[in-house]
Amino acid sequence: MGEVKLLGTWPSPFYYRVVWALKLKGIAYEFIEEDLGNKSPLLLQYNPVHKKIPVLVHNGKPICESMIILEYIEQVWPQNPLLPSDPYERAIARFWIKFTEDKSLAIWMVFGTKGEEQEKAVKDCLEMLKTIEEHALGDSQKKLFGGDEINMVDIAFGQLAYWLQCIEQVSGVKLLEASKFPRLQTWVENFKQVPIIKQNLPDRDEMLAFFKTRREMRLAAAK
Amino acid sequence: MGEVKLLGTWPSPFYYRVVWALKLKGIAYEFIEEDLGNKSPLLLQYNPVHKKIPVLVHNGKPICESMIILEYIEQVWPQNPLLPSDPYERAIARFWIKFTEDKSLAIWMVFGTKGEEQEKAVKDCLEMLKTIEEHALGDSQKKLFGGDEINMVDIAFGQLAYWLQCIEQVSGVKLLEASKFPRLQTWVENFKQVPIIKQNLPDRDEMLAFFKTRREMRLAAAK
């Protein structure tokens, strides 16, 4: 298995993507906590382009970007597969992973703005949720995106199941209304019931306090 | 091999990514030309989320998003590999593919804007080129991103080798100066010498005329 280290910070949903994947695969790792207000020389050395967590370090070699780390994990440790083996099903999975990578910035725009700018972000966010509701979940009866078992698409969408609710509360807007997005709401419930997910989520109160402070700082800086 | 169809439009670098990959793999296909000013019911049916080309249709099943199509092609037709087999090397390749997917919008912002807005886009574009020059090509003596043979990273960066020059000319700004980006300039020359690339590029004059008209329309609409 070799030496596995993970650089991350506790409130980041991108860090949790890697945590969930490693746990689902049964891979032991050492966690190295990063302080993003004071980035370590190690982080700057390992991810000189983006200077961001998460970084997975396997036998001394760094891999950056959460979804690329997950593809790496899938290739190196094929047990409990996180992607379908069928090429077409795999392409569909990657389509939705790319979709959330490209679109979910809107959630963080809702979090970091107010007034007109926030209204625009809310619109983008609702459009994203509508597309997932109608096209990704469609008229399927699947428990999760991966079917009965969690897969890489579920993990990619993980921030919608936990962080979004925190952002709603902190930002004072409701996005994922169950009446508008019944399939997505069912997915959220099912996703949070998966034992590895349930056991590996940041504390809700600490998250709320953290994101509340962050939002105030962000808005103050934008003035 | 099955029935392979490709929906595309001749001036699109994203369509050419798929053309190059299919030709490098030796896969015969039927080209279906799309008119993006009047999208066909077939395109809307095959790509209801983004309504964009390219779409690869293999045995009746549509795959969307150029780089996801390339991953599909790589899995279905493994001959003449476009990705390294080593997991770490593969992760590095995917890192740069994601980098260009995330950042190269800046090129098209230069194309679609003027004045202050264009200055901002030029800045973003130069930053992107600097990162590629320093980190992706680094101090390596590699002929191409893939080494001696073209790979998926080269294909992903293809728009920098041909479309960028057209955008520079139409927009009246110089971005890829050889004195500032010597490694990238060498890569451009090497990339265009690859026979499959050389033989499969849109006509330069037709491209210039097309993008000149498009830029005028874009700027007129933005007024």
Side-chain angles (χ1 to χ4, degrees):
Chain A
M1 182 177 298
E3 188 195 52
V4 183
K5 295 179 182 182
L6 175 59
L7 277 69
T9 50
W10 70 267
S12 162
F14 309 106
Y15 155 68
Y16 272 93
R17 284 175 173 174
V18 184
V19 170
W20 297 331
L22 289 171
K23 302 250 178 189
L24 286 163
K25 296 278 189 181
I27 309 302
Y29 65 93
E30 178 193 340
F31 171 48
I32 300 175
E33 173 119 48
E34 272 296 321
D35 172 5
L36 294 186
N38 181 23
K39 294 179 184 182
S40 75
L42 205 65
L43 178 60
L44 303 181
Q45 177 199 327
Y46 283 151
N47 191 356
V49 171
H50 300 301
K51 305 174 180 69
K52 283 182 182 170
I53 59 97
V55 178
L56 185 80
V57 189
H58 186 206
N59 294 326
K61 290 179 172 173
I63 300 113
C64 305
E65 298 274 4
S66 60
M67 295 315 298
I68 289 166
I69 296 172
L70 263 62
E71 290 266 8
Y72 176 87
I73 289 172
E74 180 71 358
Q75 193 184 352
V76 174
W77 297 289
Q79 67 270 28
N80 305 334
L82 297 176
L83 278 177
S85 55
D86 174 74
Y88 181 72
E89 294 300 321
R90 183 172 286 212
I92 299 296
R94 287 198 176 119
F95 176 90
W96 288 110
I97 290 167
K98 182 169 168 54
F99 180 85
T100 184
E101 287 287 87
D102 291 347
K103 304 285 184 188
S104 62
L105 181 66
I107 305 172
W108 301 95
M109 287 302 292
V110 171
F111 167 71
T113 56
K114 60 179 181 178
E116 259 183 53
E117 218 182 337
Q118 197 187 47
E119 279 169 34
K120 163 80 172 67
V122 167
K123 198 169 157 266
D124 290 346
C125 211
L126 291 175
E127 201 172 306
M128 173 187 73
L129 296 175
K130 188 165 178 275
T131 302
I132 299 167
E133 176 78 13
E134 291 177 4
H135 294 278
L137 291 165
D139 48 14
S140 79
Q141 303 294 313
K142 285 191 301 189
K143 202 177 139 202
L144 295 159
F145 288 103
D148 281 336
E149 298 296 329
I150 186 170
N151 82 357
M152 215 185 273
V153 184
D154 295 290
I155 293 176
F157 279 122
Q159 51 186 330
L160 295 184
Y162 197 71
W163 282 260
L164 185 66
Q165 291 68 9
C166 174
I167 287 165
E168 287 178 335
Q169 199 165 332
V170 167
S171 313
V173 289
K174 185 73 192 160
L175 297 160
L176 190 57
E177 284 181 64
S179 60
K180 281 188 196 161
F181 306 106
R183 293 183 199 109
L184 206 34
Q185 189 57 46
T186 303
W187 170 79
V188 166
E189 298 310 322
N190 292 339
F191 180 74
K192 287 194 294 188
Q193 289 307 313
V194 176
I196 288 285
I197 304 299
K198 204 172 178 175
Q199 294 150 17
N200 292 282
L201 286 171
D203 179 83
R204 188 162 191 83
D205 292 337
E206 286 179 33
M207 277 240 299
L208 280 172
F210 175 86
F211 282 114
K212 193 168 175 291
T213 310
R214 273 290 274 259
R215 177 165 157 85
E216 282 160 11
M217 284 165 63
R218 191 86 70 88
L219 295 181
K223 266 179 192 164
Chain B
M1 180 176 303
E3 189 194 53
V4 182
K5 294 179 182 182
L6 175 58
L7 279 68
T9 49
W10 69 269
S12 162
F14 309 106
Y15 154 67
Y16 272 93
R17 285 174 172 174
V18 184
V19 170
W20 298 330
L22 289 170
K23 301 250 177 189
L24 286 164
K25 297 279 189 182
I27 308 302
Y29 64 92
E30 180 194 339
F31 172 48
I32 300 175
E33 174 119 47
E34 271 297 318
D35 171 6
L36 295 187
N38 182 21
K39 293 179 184 182
S40 74
L42 204 63
L43 178 61
L44 303 182
Q45 176 198 328
Y46 283 151
N47 190 358
V49 171
H50 300 301
K51 305 175 179 68
K52 283 182 182 170
I53 60 94
V55 178
L56 185 80
V57 190
H58 187 206
N59 294 328
K61 289 180 173 172
I63 301 113
C64 305
E65 298 275 6
S66 60
M67 296 314 300
I68 289 166
I69 295 172
L70 263 62
E71 290 266 6
Y72 177 86
I73 289 173
E74 180 72 358
Q75 192 184 353
V76 174
W77 298 289
Q79 67 270 28
N80 306 332
L82 296 177
L83 276 177
S85 55
D86 173 74
Y88 182 72
E89 294 300 321
R90 185 171 283 209
I92 299 295
R94 286 198 177 120
F95 176 89
W96 288 110
I97 290 166
K98 181 167 170 54
F99 180 85
T100 187
E101 286 287 87
D102 291 346
K103 304 285 184 186
S104 63
L105 181 67
I107 305 172
W108 302 96
M109 286 302 291
V110 171
F111 167 70
T113 57
K114 60 180 181 177
E116 259 183 53
E117 218 183 335
Q118 196 187 46
E119 279 168 35
K120 164 78 174 66
V122 167
K123 200 169 156 266
D124 289 346
C125 210
L126 292 175
E127 202 173 305
M128 173 187 72
L129 296 175
K130 189 165 177 275
T131 302
I132 299 167
E133 176 78 14
E134 291 177 3
H135 294 278
L137 291 165
D139 47 16
S140 79
Q141 302 293 314
K142 286 190 300 187
K143 203 176 139 200
L144 296 159
F145 288 102
D148 281 338
E149 299 295 330
I150 186 170
N151 82 357
M152 214 185 272
V153 184
D154 296 291
I155 294 176
F157 279 122
Q159 50 184 332
L160 296 184
Y162 198 72
W163 282 260
L164 184 66
Q165 290 72 7
C166 174
I167 287 166
E168 287 179 334
Q169 200 166 332
V170 167
S171 313
V173 289
K174 183 71 190 160
L175 296 161
L176 191 56
E177 285 183 62
S179 60
K180 282 189 197 162
F181 305 106
R183 294 184 199 109
L184 206 34
Q185 189 57 46
T186 303
W187 170 80
V188 166
E189 298 310 321
N190 293 338
F191 180 75
K192 287 195 294 189
Q193 288 308 312
V194 176
I196 290 284
I197 304 299
K198 204 171 176 174
Q199 293 151 18
N200 293 282
L201 286 171
D203 179 84
R204 188 160 192 83
D205 291 338
E206 283 179 36
M207 276 241 299
L208 280 172
F210 174 85
F211 282 115
K212 192 168 176 293
T213 311
R214 273 289 275 258
R215 177 164 157 84
E216 284 160 8
M217 283 165 63
R218 191 84 70 88
L219 294 181
K223 267 177 193 166

